[in-house]
Amino acid sequence: MAARRSSPRPTLEAVAAVAGVSRATVSRVINGVPTVDPAIVEVVEKAIDETGYVPNLAARTLVTRRTGSVALVVSEPTERPHTSAFLERLFTDPYIGRVTAGAQQVLRPRDIHLAILPADPPAHDQVVRYVRQGHVDGVLLITSSSGDPLPARFAALSVPVVLSTHLDGADESAGVSWVDLDQAAGGRLAAEHLVAHGRTRLATVAGPSDVPFARARLEGFLDAVRVAGLPEPFVVEGDFTRAGGEAAARDLLAARPDVDGVFGASDLMADGASTVLQEAGRRVPEDVAVVGFDDSTVAHQAHPPLTTVRQPVEEMAAEMARLLLAAIDAPETEPRSVLFDPTLVVRGSA
């Protein structure tokens, strides 16, 4: 029996013939050259679909020095006690999904893929090695500690990096851009709302004290309470998880059983605290008002739904992606910082 001869793979020339353009134009479209007329891009892409042409990605990378991918690195800067494992927290935290969705809004139209890389301390070297080997064109870095070594390590590789937060000067020294929320203003919004609704015995489930944005939320909250002339709130530290909020609420009830207003520095912690308060017989919001932070899906699903400080995570992530693409396209671009404003979303818990 004669061997079946395979059909030759479609070539650039075949695509050019179908599209009615030159081989060079097809090459420019495939390599994402932004100056090509959108109408021509559409014709060429249709011809690619018709012919079944598959670009040689290795050759394309050699020509463009681009991989067509960026990394979303979620960093755990240090080992610290937690109520759950890093990967469990990573994939159950609604914040990560919102960041991914926001970044994709900007990256997909550019046909750029997003690789999610968890980076707890044992994986730091592995993630840095992956980036150094040229698998991605840039890094969106979610981190929470000024002591995180990754911003400086990535910057030393001359890889474009954009941070998800302002790290008290660590980002400027590393020469990277950042996008953040006015975290202190968010804490003030929570306190002002509780005070305006007559709550006078306040407490907060704060985030870890070594996390800059957690400190800023706490400081904003405390400042507003002091301005109102109320007694100093009781502060108990959590770890941004629901379980952490539950544990903190038990400590809170033991120390301040008469509390009538609680600010949780994340929706997950606020929801956990609300659950424990209600299990202890305290009605929310009649006996205790609860305010969260983030305006995540958790706030909508809570019982009652959480009043919360909204940070526009999707919009912030989209801005991170825009800054990163600008740095990839023009490596000489100076680092930039963008600060978003929080808003209060009032629901049933306060």
Side-chain angles (χ1 to χ4, degrees):
M1 180 182 294
R4 179 179 297 175
R5 299 180 62 183
S6 60
S7 301
R9 292 183 60 180
T11 63
L12 279 178
E13 288 78 7
V15 175
V18 171
V21 298
S22 69
R23 183 184 188 280
T25 297
V26 175
S27 179
R28 286 197 295 273
V29 171
I30 290 172
N31 291 323
V33 175
T35 55
V36 181
D37 187 294
I40 294 177
V41 172
E42 185 177 351
V43 169
V44 171
E45 289 179 343
K46 183 178 179 181
I48 289 173
D49 289 339
E50 289 180 6
T51 60
Y53 176 74
V54 178
N56 184 326
L57 294 181
R60 175 180 171 182
T61 299
L62 287 173
V63 173
T64 65
R65 299 187 183 278
R66 301 281 179 84
T67 66
S69 299
V70 300
L72 175 62
V73 176
V74 185
S75 177
E76 180 89 328
T78 58
E79 297 281 11
R80 67 159 73 96
H82 275 286
T83 56
S84 56
F86 172 60
L87 288 179
E88 179 184 342
R89 283 179 282 114
L90 172 64
F91 291 110
T92 57
D93 187 342
Y95 174 80
I96 303 301
R98 295 177 67 191
V99 169
T100 302
Q104 290 283 53
Q105 293 174 13
V106 174
L107 299 176
R108 273 184 179 158
R110 289 279 300 268
D111 198 25
I112 294 175
H113 300 285
L114 187 66
I116 300 177
L117 304 180
D120 54 340
H124 280 187
D125 289 343
Q126 182 184 35
V127 170
V128 170
R129 184 164 59 249
Y130 181 86
V131 173
R132 184 176 62 241
Q133 290 171 346
H135 295 291
V136 295
D137 300 318
V139 174
L140 300 170
L141 177 57
I142 298 177
T143 185
S144 60
S145 171
S146 298
D148 192 338
L150 289 183
R153 293 187 68 179
F154 287 141
L157 301 177
S158 299
V159 174
V161 179
V162 178
L163 294 177
S164 64
T165 188
H166 180 212
L167 292 180
D168 297 339
D171 38 18
E172 283 90 349
S173 64
V176 297
S177 298
W178 56 265
V179 174
D180 205 349
L181 185 80
D182 188 338
Q183 306 285 352
R188 287 194 294 271
L189 284 176
E192 289 165 358
H193 181 76
L194 291 170
V195 171
H197 285 74
R199 310 297 172 153
T200 58
R201 300 179 300 278
L202 304 182
T204 178
V205 181
S209 58
D210 63 338
V211 174
F213 66 78
R215 290 199 303 270
R217 293 176 190 180
L218 175 61
E219 290 164 3
F221 180 78
L222 295 178
D223 286 347
V225 173
R226 291 163 184 157
V227 167
L230 295 180
E232 195 74 3
F234 183 76
V235 179
V236 59
E237 187 173 307
D239 62 0
F240 289 124
T241 66
R242 180 179 279 104
E246 292 172 350
R250 294 187 187 97
D251 293 342
L252 166 61
L253 281 172
R256 298 285 177 87
D258 63 343
V259 63
D260 66 0
V262 175
F263 167 49
S266 75
D267 287 341
L268 280 170
M269 292 198 300
D271 187 33
S274 178
T275 298
V276 168
L277 288 166
Q278 293 177 76
E279 288 174 348
R282 306 297 304 280
R283 296 172 301 165
V284 176
E286 292 85 356
D287 300 326
V288 186
V290 178
V291 177
F293 202 110
D294 286 330
D295 194 27
S296 64
T297 55
V298 172
H300 300 264
Q301 296 165 356
H303 300 285
L306 284 174
T307 290
T308 185
V309 177
R310 182 177 189 272
Q311 58 172 338
V313 175
E314 290 84 358
E315 293 92 331
M316 293 165 67
E319 184 63 20
M320 288 176 64
R322 281 189 284 268
L323 291 178
L324 185 64
L325 293 182
I328 291 171
D329 292 338
E332 70 280 1
T333 301
E334 289 294 320
R336 290 183 54 205
S337 57
V338 179
L339 195 65
F340 283 74
D341 293 320
T343 55
L344 187 73
V345 179
V346 179
R347 296 194 180 92
S349 68

